[in-house]
Amino acid sequence: MSRARQTAPAPDWKGLEKNIGYTFHDIGLLKNALTHSSYANESKKSSGSNERLEFLGDSVLGYVVADYLFRNCPHLPEGDLTKTRAALVCEKACCGFSRQLEVGKYLLLSHGEQNSGGNARPSILADAFEAIIAAIYLDGGMEEARAFILRFVKPMIQTARPKPFKDYKTMLQEIIQKNPEESLEYVLTGESGPDHDKHFSVEVHLNSNVIGKGGGRSKKEAEQQAAREALELMGY
């Protein structure tokens, strides 16, 4: 008679609740949020995977982050708001949040997925984080979900904001224009690489004297870097 496969001990949901900072009225929601599709397919006792919760959690996360950025970053234009939100809700960010909660220890995975390192896979961890958001939202409402999300998002906002673009060419031009007899010229000195991965080298000349060199994946980028070097050499 064959020996039945041993089942893994049930996760310590209280430990995860402590990490999350929220106590569920319906612990089944949390369990569902941690149930990967591989486990749901393998286990006849499972009530389904976390995919539907992930769908809802993704929307709640996007809304909460957009609302917070709109209210607290009034000087950011629409384009920067979009880029900042994208950086805060992407798979990389959600995976990092999941790791802070040690979600990998609590995931319900199939034996195959568990053995292949599924509890550390970024996509699985990110999906679980979004599912946890939905579970909190359904169990305790929007304000509980908002508090949970902002606990992770707020410390990241400064680093997630796009770096302001500096137009070094215009800065250099404005300085040189103070002396009408001076003239600037950008000279392409090199071009290498295949069409899909070109690299350009440029020199900026002041009255035929080289005052800066730069490189980049486009001529414009190379010119900006050459102007940046010229400004640094001039003490700006």
Side-chain angles (χ1 to χ4, degrees), residues 14 23 26 98 130 134 142 160 182 192 195-196 204 213 234:
K14 292 295 182 184
T23 301
D26 179 3
S98 241
E130 291 178 339
M142 177 59 82
E182 308 282 5
S192 61
D195 289 341
H196 68 277
V204 56
K213 297 180 181 181
M234 295 167 66

Side-chain angles (χ1 to χ4, degrees), residues 196-232:
H196 68 277
D197 191 23
K198 286 283 189 183
H199 183 83
F200 298 89
S201 298
V202 166
E203 292 178 348
V204 56
H205 293 191
L206 177 63
N207 300 330
S208 75
N209 296 314
V210 178
I211 60 171
K213 297 180 181 181
R217 299 185 66 177
S218 68
K219 293 179 183 178
K220 289 183 178 180
E221 182 183 349
E223 289 174 354
Q224 286 287 347
Q225 294 307 314
R228 181 183 63 80
E229 182 177 276
L231 288 165
E232 289 177 353

Side-chain angles (χ1 to χ4, degrees), residues 53-202:
L53 286 177
E54 176 211 337
F55 164 78
L56 178 59
D58 176 69
S59 295
V60 175
L61 174 63
Y63 166 73
V64 168
V65 171
D67 180 70
Y68 184 84
L69 291 175
F70 180 83
R71 295 176 187 277
N72 292 276
C73 304
H75 302 299
L76 283 184
E78 185 270 342
D80 285 353
L81 287 170
T82 299
K83 292 176 183 177
T84 304
R85 179 184 61 185
L88 293 169
V89 304
C90 67
E91 178 182 296
K92 181 180 179 182
C94 289
C95 173
F97 301 152
S98 241
R99 285 181 173 145
Q100 290 181 49
L101 294 171
E102 300 182 322
V103 165
K105 292 166 50 177
Y106 302 92
L107 286 170
L108 296 175
L109 305 167
S110 69
H111 290 274
E113 194 67 60
Q114 186 76 43
N115 293 336
S116 65
N119 61 349
R121 190 164 296 133
S123 60
I124 292 178
L125 289 172
D127 290 349
F129 182 78
E130 291 178 339
I132 290 170
I133 290 172
I136 295 172
Y137 168 73
L138 293 173
D139 192 74
M142 177 59 82
E143 291 313 308
E144 291 288 355
R146 187 193 307 276
F148 173 71
I149 291 166
L150 293 181
R151 177 179 133 205
F152 294 93
V153 166
K154 287 169 70 174
M156 283 187 61
I157 287 178
Q158 290 299 326
T159 56
R161 286 183 184 179
K163 300 297 185 293
F165 172 71
K166 288 189 176 181
D167 188 348
Y168 297 109
K169 285 183 66 177
T170 297
M171 293 169 62
L172 181 61
Q173 185 68 38
E174 289 174 349
I175 293 169
I176 300 303
Q177 282 178 344
K178 294 176 182 178
N179 297 305
E181 69 277 6
E182 308 282 5
S183 64
L184 280 176
E185 181 183 9
Y186 291 87
V187 179
L188 180 66
T189 59
E191 183 178 334
S192 61
D195 289 341
H196 68 277
D197 191 23
K198 286 283 189 183
H199 183 83
F200 298 89
S201 298
V202 166

